[in-house]
Amino acid sequence: MNSSTRSIGRSKRRAAKASSPTSRGLFLRNFIKHPAMVASIVPSSARTIRRVLEPIDWANTDVFVEYGPGVGTFCQAVLDRLKPDATYIAIDPNPDFIQHLRQMIHDSRFVLVQGSAEDVNEILKERGFDHADYVLSGLPFSTLPPGVGDSIARATAKALRVGGAFVVYQFNPKVRNFFEPHIPKIDSAIEWWNVPPAMIWWAWKE
Ligand SMILES: C[S@@+](CC[C@H](N)C(=O)[O-])C[C@H]1O[C@@H](n2cnc3c(N)ncnc32)[C@H](O)[C@@H]1O
């Protein structure tokens, strides 16, 4: 596992927008550099963000994890809903995205980790947590290196508390096959107002 940062003090100023031209340019450049890992040309739409986060029980969320925050498309929306004493751990291997998020988000609940989602249990443990309440993922499971998707799904099933959920949005319906063997109780939806339309799954740990 690699470096992590916790910002000092909770800022009243809102984060720079993930939909700004700078963020979108960074996203596109990184799609060109790492097509298999970024796997999308534009970040998720505002409607997708609202829909994905809707079923989350925020009052009972102490630890929220996001895999692959990229330019931070979901970050402000999650912070807006999260309790003041909760923790939001965002994990991404891409140093350009990590640097961008470090500059963009100043909130003491936000913990940025440069690393892989495969190591989620170690990342939680190092920060004193046994489990996550929810794990959000826009990971391109089907284009990750062989074995990585399965390893992330297995680690996530272990990391979640009972009653928590693995919240996944992606464009390829086959992505479900990665996590269904590990977390089989799944609700699903399609958000058409996204480029391309997004599949959304909420896989509930029993
Ligand atoms: C399609 S982008 C999603 C960006 C953003 N969540 C959104 O909705 O616009 C995929 C992200 O997954 C990240 N990623 C790739 N492999 C990863 C891994 N093993 N662990 C965590 N994040 C990973 C990429 O760096 C990229 O930020």
Side-chain angles (χ1 to χ4, degrees):
M1 210 224 321
N2 310 302
S3 63
S4 73
T5 329
R6 187 161 188 135
S7 59
I8 307 155
R10 190 170 165 194
S11 168
K12 295 237 183 301
R13 123 180 110 87
R14 284 176 71 87
K17 281 203 142 199
S19 56
S20 70
T22 317
S23 298
R24 283 182 179 267
L26 180 68
F27 196 83
L28 184 59
R29 280 198 302 285
N30 273 279
F31 170 73
I32 293 161
K33 267 206 284 191
H34 312 284
M37 281 177 95
V38 176
S40 170
I41 300 175
V42 284
S44 308
S45 72
R47 227 154 108 166
T48 303
I49 296 169
R50 274 199 304 278
R51 189 110 185 253
V52 166
L53 299 180
E54 218 251 308
I56 292 176
D57 175 8
W58 295 101
N60 289 303
T61 300
D62 295 314
V63 182
F64 186 94
V65 174
E66 181 178 3
Y67 300 157
V71 293
T73 317
F74 277 78
C75 292
Q76 192 57 52
V78 171
L79 288 166
D80 287 346
R81 292 162 173 76
L82 204 60
K83 287 190 298 185
D85 59 345
T87 300
Y88 175 6
I89 300 175
I91 307 168
D92 202 299
N94 185 316
D96 294 346
F97 290 151
I98 292 288
Q99 194 192 358
H100 177 76
L101 291 174
R102 199 170 280 161
Q103 287 167 358
M104 196 175 101
I105 298 172
H106 303 272
D107 189 302
S108 57
R109 297 168 296 173
F110 189 65
V111 180
L112 196 49
V113 178
Q114 186 181 345
S116 172
E118 291 166 280
D119 299 323
V120 62
N121 288 288
E122 292 74 16
I123 290 167
L124 285 166
K125 203 165 169 196
E126 277 169 19
R127 285 152 189 86
F129 300 115
D130 292 332
H131 291 105
D133 297 296
Y134 292 87
V135 176
L136 170 66
S137 168
L139 290 181
F141 272 95
S142 44
T143 60
L144 293 176
V148 173
D150 184 61
S151 155
I152 291 174
R154 189 183 303 274
T156 306
K158 186 172 171 209
L160 281 170
R161 69 146 158 98
V162 171
F166 189 28
V167 181
V168 179
Y169 57 96
Q170 263 299 297
F171 320 118
N172 181 347
K174 290 190 181 150
V175 160
R176 178 185 178 127
N177 299 341
F178 282 91
F179 54 87
E180 193 164 25
H182 305 285
I183 319 174
K185 189 188 169 198
I186 299 173
D187 294 327
S188 63
I190 299 179
E191 177 51 60
W192 297 99
W193 198 260
N194 199 74
V195 183
M199 295 288 314
I200 310 170
W201 298 276
W202 299 269
W204 301 95
K205 168 117 171 224
E206 293 184 292

